[in-house]
Amino acid sequence: MSPRILVVEDEPDIAAIVVDYLRHAGYTVEHQAEGRAALASIVAAPPDLTLLDIMLPGMDGLDILRQARRHTEHPIIMLTARVEEVDRLIGLELGADDYICKPFSPREVVARVKAVLRRAAPGAPLAGVEGVATALVLNENLWQGTLHGTPLNLTRREFKLLQVLARQRGRIFSRAQLLDQAYDDTLDVNERAIDSHIKNLRKKLKAASGDDTDWIRSVYGVGFALDPGALN
């Protein structure tokens, strides 16, 4: 059976396009346009993935996300036209798996849905675990990383940062989350220092891969994610 996707979007034109593209991609798609009805649907029968708009009649997307997380851990991707950082960070803290900002390409939506479902699949391999057959391998015992067998020559901070990103590839981490999870001692590191480490990681990953692949995706106002498709 194909994965079941719930699209929660009150703008008819946007909803119709997203539903159409997802159905053509082989998914079973349902649509809700009102917040409370959407939450009831999620609680009664959680789908495999929800695309959830923030601005909705009846109940906004962040409230739906907050209440849905009391009942289900299924992947939820937020759709938003808001650009304020606080909305995005609140969404991540409540358990959003990804963000897509309007206006967006429907092809991007399909690609992001595929990536999140792949990451959430039972038994899905995690990049960054020694012995897993992926392009990227991180050995915590030796503090060494390789990409396609090429050593990355990472500093300890770069290693920890890449390890956090790789364990949940495709998930967007805010700078504060990376600071909290990647570094045991944060006395000499601030959130903006993360940008410098990300820049160095990108250079080393590109050098090891020998191409211009954008391994670490930046999401404006939110943070960073390791591109799941680049690791296959």
Side-chain angles (χ1 to χ4, degrees):
M1 180 180 294
S2 63
R4 184 167 63 92
I5 310 296
L6 175 63
V7 176
V8 185
E9 169 61 65
D10 65 321
E11 296 185 42
D13 291 343
I14 294 177
I17 293 173
V18 171
V19 168
D20 184 60
Y21 268 78
L22 288 170
R23 284 177 175 163
H24 276 81
Y27 298 109
T28 299
V29 186
E30 300 172 10
H31 172 237
Q32 292 283 352
E34 195 273 339
R36 296 189 184 281
L39 177 61
S41 177
I42 289 170
V43 172
D48 294 294
L49 182 144
T50 295
L51 284 168
L52 178 59
D53 190 27
I54 287 183
M55 299 297 291
L56 292 165
M59 177 183 292
D60 72 30
L62 292 178
D63 284 337
I64 294 173
L65 176 61
R66 182 182 296 108
Q67 295 194 39
R69 281 294 176 244
R70 299 172 184 170
H71 304 275
T72 173
E73 292 298 321
H74 81 282
I76 298 178
I77 299 177
M78 305 300 291
L79 302 175
T80 178
R82 295 183 180 181
V83 296
E84 293 88 346
E85 183 176 12
V86 64
D87 286 334
R88 298 180 178 184
L89 294 182
I90 288 174
L92 289 171
E93 290 168 2
L94 291 175
D97 293 86
D98 202 351
Y99 271 94
I100 302 176
C101 293
K102 300 177 181 179
F104 51 72
S105 160
R107 290 186 177 87
E108 177 192 4
V109 174
V110 173
R112 300 277 277 276
V113 165
K114 288 180 178 179
V116 172
L117 284 174
R118 183 167 57 243
R119 188 171 79 240
L126 292 177
V129 178
E130 186 180 6
V132 173
T134 59
L136 177 67
V137 177
L138 301 177
N139 185 330
E140 189 170 13
N141 293 325
L142 300 175
W143 294 96
Q144 293 178 354
T146 61
L147 180 63
H148 300 304
T150 301
L152 292 171
N153 300 317
L154 303 171
T155 67
R156 179 165 177 161
R157 292 204 184 282
E158 290 167 355
F159 181 96
K160 291 291 290 183
L161 179 59
L162 185 57
Q163 185 180 52
V164 170
L165 293 170
R167 281 177 172 167
Q168 298 187 62
R169 54 183 182 171
R171 175 186 168 183
I172 304 170
F173 290 88
S174 69
R175 290 178 178 85
Q177 289 171 325
L178 290 173
L179 188 63
D180 180 62
Q181 297 186 40
Y183 305 125
D184 298 327
D185 179 6
T186 60
L187 293 178
D188 61 339
V189 181
N190 57 48
E191 291 186 14
R192 289 301 167 183
I194 297 293
D195 293 358
S196 177
H197 296 314
I198 291 290
K199 181 179 179 180
N200 290 335
L201 278 173
R202 282 183 170 133
K203 288 181 179 179
K204 292 180 179 182
L205 289 166
K206 285 187 177 182
S209 66
D211 57 34
D212 292 327
T213 299
D214 188 8
W215 295 89
I216 300 176
R217 180 164 58 94
S218 297
V219 181
Y220 179 76
V222 185
F224 305 97
L226 191 66
D227 183 359
L231 297 176
N232 298 325

